[in-house]
Amino acid sequence: MPSIKEILNTMEYGPAPESQKEAQAWLEQHGRTFGLFIDNAWTDAGALFASTNPADASKLADLTQATGDDVDRAVAAARRAQPGWQALGGHGRAKVLYAIARLLQKHARLFAVLETLDNGKTIRETRDVDLPLAARHFYYHAGWAQLQAEEFADYRAVGVVGQIVPWNFPLLMLSWKIAPALAAGNTVVFKPAEFTSLTAMLFAEICVQAGVPAGVVNIVTGDGAVGEAIVNHAGIDKLAFTGSTEVGRQIRIATAGSGKKLSLELGGKSPFIVFEDADLDAAVEGLVDSIWFNQGQVCCAGSRLLVQESVEAKFLAKLRARMDKLTLGAPLEKSIDVGALVDPIQQQRITELVESARAEGCTVYQPACDIPVDGAWFPPTLITGASTSAAVAQAEIFGPVLVAMSFRTPPEAVQLANNTVYGLAACVWTENISLALDVAPQIKAGVVWINTANQFDAACGFGGYRESGFGREGGREGMYEYLTALSEDARPAAPVLAAPAKIKAPAPIAAGGAFAIDRTAKMYIGGKQTRPDGAYSRAVHGADGAFIAEVGEGSRKDIRNAVEAAHKAGGWSKATAHNRAQVLYYIAENLAARGEEFAARIAAMTGASSASAEKEVQASIERLFYYAAYADKYDGLAHQPPMHGVTVALNEPVGVIGIVCPNEAPLLGLISLVAPAIAMGNRAVVVPSEAHPLSATDLYQVFDTSDLPGGVVNIVTGSADELARTLATHSDIDAVWRHDGSAAGCAEVERLSAASLKRTWVGGAKGRDWYSTAQAGGRAVLAHASQVKNVWIPYGV
């Protein structure tokens, strides 16, 4: 008689398909044809394109290809509705968001089945992950709407928001974007992915049921031309995009100089790091969830396995055995692990990448499984033997393909993890909590999961570093993406600049004293005064046109040297916040000791009265104290999401920031930008006021006597346009700030930064009251000087 174990081993699951009757009936109710949803009404269907089931290639419905005129109507409807929606107040908006959440729950199975039919992902994922999270986002943001007047008292809604999402999480991405936008008082023009628009159509219906006022949510369908129309529309105040890095780069270029607020959640090549002391069986299960969840069509998928050499063979053997048990097939079957790819085009791209790895001599492992004849399918795949520079190790495959390699030590693991242009997410598996918490901050990624994978919650921000984009979705930081500080509305229409005086020739040096006075201020790079590489200088004249001194004419080589020095000063980012605060206090103390000298210099350069110049020096000292005080008080947060664990949101430095300073208030403007940058642990390459640079060059000795490590602040004088251009195109600079009032220069910085997708903060043609802490201080400035990393730490499991 066989044992129970033998019987269990021979048992097979019978078919357990989820019924699609209700979803098909809903499609029939609409005649399987959809117009656009604008101003709470459906338009007549226009030019149509098909939405198909990727599992069997059958047509589900026809959707309307929106035109430019359709986008115009949607934006106009959103513009009309926005004042009333904002005036409804936090409680009024909260009630509507709450109603949407309840309706999502009420119709959860219909949404889940429709999503599976349209996308190809398994019903287990849509039912157990996508729908609960979508409802959670509306519940969570209903709370922010209720608390907005108290928690975001100094902010207002941005206005009309254009939102574009991909096809991998159609409804969930909709929820991530629409919920915070509505909570903040914005109205929305939303474009779902061309392949997967059906759940957005169903969502439009529940918006009406939930009492969303006409024009607040508008949904336009179609291909990339529709997204392009939204991106380029002058009536859009903010754009939120999730998708490929290449398209994100094009959006950054298209919006440069427009003043539109922008958040981008882009691609990833996330590392999944397994240390030798990890629970290997648990790590295998985590890896399955990380890379084969949603067929690997996940921007944060753990597509790069980094396993410690001592356990590599053992771990890979366990992994292959687990792969052999994965089931692939009809997504509506409740026991299926891997569903269909979204489209044959995606299937072809994945196939080509895998075959390129095979041609390069890599080992490709795929479990034996039956591949359905119809539809778009690809089996779970493990690639070993790839070099770190191989296409499969660097490119975002966006499919069920895992590339594995080994490491020996934790530093090597970090180095390999960061060997990518992306920086979206990472997983760290180890039973040593000290090791985990040491490694997590070193990984350049916006989200790090410790001993877990693919955890998401509305309370915890999600977003990336580097070419994975900028901005966050979820949490408090996600709300800020849809708000504008009231202080921005109070900014002067233009910078206040004195009319240039007629230049006077330098006075001749007295006979016999040709070398008595050196009136050429050097640059400051790596803690040392240096001459310009090009050996050119430019004259600095006072308000009366009189020659004062010369400064070096900075060049690309000088910027390169300054960036190298800034990277060598990486220890500043690891210094304690208390230590950074002390140095800022020292700078303030030493500036105060030389206050009269700095005031005289400001008066000579700008023509300001002695009283005004002294006021600027005192304001600069106070601003240093201000950011010294904030250095150890701009803390992160500890979130308690609905899991057994805690999520720690760390405020990390951005890295190396290029700063182009204003011409007005040449000392205070520089201090107001440099102080928050270094208070947060960044290093800076500073281009001082082009017209009045001597306040910056006079700071060298102040820095030298204030314990500021060499390379933390580097000063390169010269042309703001030329040097800003070099900063924006430099691949080792993480962000560029420009506040000199040049509209064209600011637009150029935004456009050129798209090459590496570095963050930017520009002032445009508007001025700024540098004496006002509302306009030149506060958390809004510190947010530009930091980036949030969410570290998920489970416990009790």
Side-chain angles (χ1 to χ4, degrees):
M1 180 176 178
S3 67
I4 293 179
K5 182 177 180 180
E6 290 172 332
I7 294 173
L8 291 174
N9 286 338
T10 59
M11 289 180 64
E12 294 183 359
Y13 289 106
E18 178 71 41
S19 172
Q20 54 181 290
K21 178 181 176 181
E22 288 78 8
Q24 296 290 355
W26 179 80
L27 291 170
E28 289 293 343
Q29 289 172 13
H30 288 269
R32 295 187 181 270
T33 303
F34 293 87
L36 310 174
F37 184 73
I38 299 174
D39 221 6
N40 271 23
W42 293 99
T43 68
D44 292 334
L48 298 174
F49 63 95
S51 182
T52 60
N53 182 340
D56 59 15
S58 62
K59 187 167 85 168
L60 295 169
D62 286 312
L63 296 156
T64 295
Q65 170 69 33
T67 65
D69 289 341
D70 293 325
V71 173
D72 287 342
R73 285 194 292 272
V75 173
R79 181 63 64 192
R80 287 193 302 270
Q82 198 275 323
W85 177 245
Q86 185 167 353
L88 188 61
H91 180 59
R93 294 195 298 276
K95 289 193 294 183
V96 173
L97 289 170
Y98 174 81
I100 292 174
R102 290 291 293 118
L103 286 166
L104 282 172
Q105 289 180 318
K106 180 178 179 180
H107 300 290
R109 192 55 61 93
L110 173 59
F111 271 104
V113 173
L114 189 62
E115 192 83 301
T116 291
L117 288 172
D118 202 24
N119 172 272
K121 64 171 64 182
T122 67
I123 187 64
R124 287 193 301 156
E125 292 173 8
T126 57
R127 180 194 65 200
D128 299 339
V129 178
D130 293 16
L131 262 298
L133 270 175
R136 162 71 173 150
H137 271 268
F138 281 98
Y139 276 125
Y140 176 81
H141 287 96
W144 274 134
Q146 182 70 48
L147 300 174
Q148 182 180 352
E150 179 179 341
E151 293 291 327
F152 301 101
D154 297 329
Y155 292 82
R156 63 163 174 81
V158 175
V160 176
V161 177
Q163 299 177 322
I164 304 168
V165 301
W167 40 258
N168 55 341
F169 291 94
L171 180 68
L172 186 53
M173 291 293 100
L174 176 151
S175 303
W176 280 26
K177 286 187 164 49
I178 289 182
L182 298 192
N186 303 285
T187 52
V188 168
V189 177
F190 180 85
K191 180 200 170 305
E194 179 184 5
F195 291 149
T196 53
S197 300
L198 293 181
T199 49
M201 302 292 96
L202 179 55
F203 179 81
E205 288 190 353
I206 73 166
C207 282
V208 176
Q209 296 175 43
V212 177
V216 171
V217 173
N218 305 274
I219 300 176
V220 290
T221 54
D223 59 16
V226 183
E228 186 177 359
I230 293 172
V231 167
N232 293 323
H233 202 290
I236 296 289
D237 301 302
K238 180 212 162 40
L239 284 162
F241 172 78
T242 296
S244 73
T245 294
E246 187 51 44
V247 175
R249 187 174 284 116
Q250 294 170 11
I251 291 173
R252 170 72 285 183
I253 293 171
T255 58
S258 67
K260 293 176 182 175
K261 199 167 184 178
L262 179 64
S263 55
L264 300 173
E265 197 267 281
L266 308 175
K269 192 70 175 176
S270 300
F272 190 101
I273 307 172
V274 180
F275 288 98
E276 60 188 359
D277 66 342
D279 181 334
L280 298 186
D281 292 322
V284 166
E285 292 304 312
L287 185 55
V288 169
D289 287 339
S290 184
I291 182 57
W292 292 304
F293 169 70
N294 199 18
Q295 296 70 254
Q297 299 171 131
V298 183
C299 53
C300 58
S303 55
R304 287 190 298 143
L305 170 62
L306 307 177
V307 58
Q308 198 153 17
E309 191 176 84
S310 56
V311 294
E312 179 187 16
K314 182 178 180 181
F315 185 82
L316 291 180
K318 287 177 176 287
L319 179 60
R320 293 187 187 98
R322 183 66 178 88
M323 291 174 68
D324 291 340
K325 292 182 172 60
L326 293 174
T327 57
L328 181 148
L332 283 174
E333 285 283 348
K334 297 171 187 174
S335 61
I336 290 297
D337 298 308
V338 181
L341 299 174
V342 74
D343 188 81
I345 296 173
Q346 182 70 3
Q347 179 190 39
Q348 180 181 353
R349 180 179 181 276
I350 295 168
T351 300
E352 289 173 354
L353 281 166
V354 171
E355 290 308 311
S356 74
R358 200 190 302 271
E360 292 173 2
C362 299
T363 299
V364 177
Y365 181 79
Q366 295 172 326
C369 56
D370 295 328
I371 305 293
V373 175
D374 296 321
W377 303 88
F378 201 87
T381 301
L382 170 65
I383 297 175
T384 54
S387 68
T388 56
S389 61
V392 290
Q394 291 294 328
E396 184 183 31
I397 299 174
F398 222 64
V401 180
L402 175 67
V403 180
M405 53 189 66
S406 64
F407 66 88
R408 292 183 179 180
T409 65
E412 185 184 359
V414 171
Q415 185 180 33
L416 287 170
N418 292 334
N419 182 32
T420 173
V421 297
Y422 300 108
L424 188 55
C427 289
V428 177
W429 288 78
T430 173
E431 292 296 283
N432 185 335
I433 190 63
S434 296
L435 176 61
L437 296 180
D438 177 55
V439 168
Q442 297 182 60
I443 298 174
K444 295 178 181 178
V447 179
V448 178
W449 293 293
I450 295 176
N451 292 338
T452 187
N454 278 351
Q455 295 286 333
F456 306 99
D457 186 65
C460 307
F462 181 85
Y465 295 178
R466 303 193 288 188
E467 293 193 21
S468 289
F470 46 78
R472 294 293 182 266
E473 294 185 291
R476 179 182 286 271
E477 58 265 40
M479 279 293 290
Y480 283 121
E481 298 293 335
Y482 291 94
L483 295 165
T484 295
L486 294 176
S487 60
E488 290 296 300
D489 297 333
R491 288 175 56 196
V496 179
L497 297 175
K502 186 176 180 180
I503 302 302
K504 299 177 182 178
I509 297 173
F515 301 101
I517 301 175
D518 180 2
R519 291 187 289 180
T520 302
K522 298 181 179 67
M523 298 179 184
Y524 188 69
I525 297 175
K528 299 177 181 178
Q529 296 187 40
T530 62
R531 292 182 175 85
D533 177 75
Y536 285 98
S537 298
R538 63 166 52 205
V540 178
H541 296 86
D544 61 356
F547 173 82
I548 301 176
E550 290 184 330
V551 296
E553 186 70 60
S555 66
R556 180 178 296 273
K557 177 70 179 296
D558 297 307
I559 293 292
R560 188 189 74 182
N561 293 340
V563 173
E564 288 179 358
H567 278 281
K568 290 178 181 177
W572 180 252
S573 298
K574 300 175 184 177
T576 67
H578 171 72
N579 176 251
R580 296 197 297 268
Q582 288 291 104
V583 171
L584 284 165
Y585 283 127
Y586 294 156
I587 294 172
E589 178 185 335
N590 288 316
L591 177 59
R594 297 175 57 186
E596 292 183 4
E597 175 189 341
F598 274 85
R601 179 73 86 182
I602 292 170
M605 287 190 301
T606 66
S609 66
S610 297
S612 294
E614 290 172 4
K615 177 184 176 184
E616 182 174 344
V617 174
Q618 290 304 312
S620 300
I621 295 167
E622 183 178 344
R623 192 61 46 81
L624 286 163
F625 265 70
Y626 178 87
Y627 283 115
Y630 253 128
D632 58 0
K633 297 173 185 65
Y634 189 65
D635 294 327
L637 296 170
H639 302 300
Q640 293 180 290
M643 62 167 274
H644 291 288
V646 64
T647 304
V648 180
L650 304 174
N651 288 325
E652 295 190 328
V654 175
V656 176
I657 301 178
I659 301 176
V660 181
C661 298
N663 285 307
E664 72 272 25
L667 177 64
L668 178 59
L670 182 149
I671 293 296
S672 296
L673 294 170
V674 172
I678 65 175
M680 293 296 98
N682 301 285
R683 291 89 70 202
V685 177
V686 182
V687 178
S689 163
E690 182 175 340
H692 312 303
L694 299 179
S695 288
T697 60
D698 288 342
L699 281 170
Y700 301 166
Q701 291 180 349
V702 172
F703 291 154
D704 288 342
T705 56
S706 301
D707 293 344
L708 183 70
V712 173
V713 176
N714 306 274
I715 299 176
V716 179
T717 53
S719 164
D721 285 337
E722 291 295 327
L723 298 176
R725 194 171 295 127
T726 302
L727 291 170
T729 55
H730 199 297
S731 60
D732 280 339
I733 286 183
D734 301 293
V736 178
W737 300 352
R738 184 165 185 174
H739 291 273
D740 64 341
S742 169
C746 289
E748 184 177 46
V749 161
E750 291 183 323
R751 185 172 64 256
L752 295 177
S753 73
S756 59
L757 283 168
K758 57 173 63 71
R759 289 172 54 174
T760 60
W761 178 33
V762 299
K766 294 182 71 176
R768 191 176 295 274
D769 181 357
W770 296 102
Y771 289 89
S772 166
T773 53
Q775 292 188 30
R779 290 180 172 268
V781 174
L782 292 169
H784 287 292
S786 60
Q787 52 194 355
V788 179
K789 171 181 286 180
N790 278 277
V791 180
W792 292 70
I793 310 168
Y795 56 75
V797 291

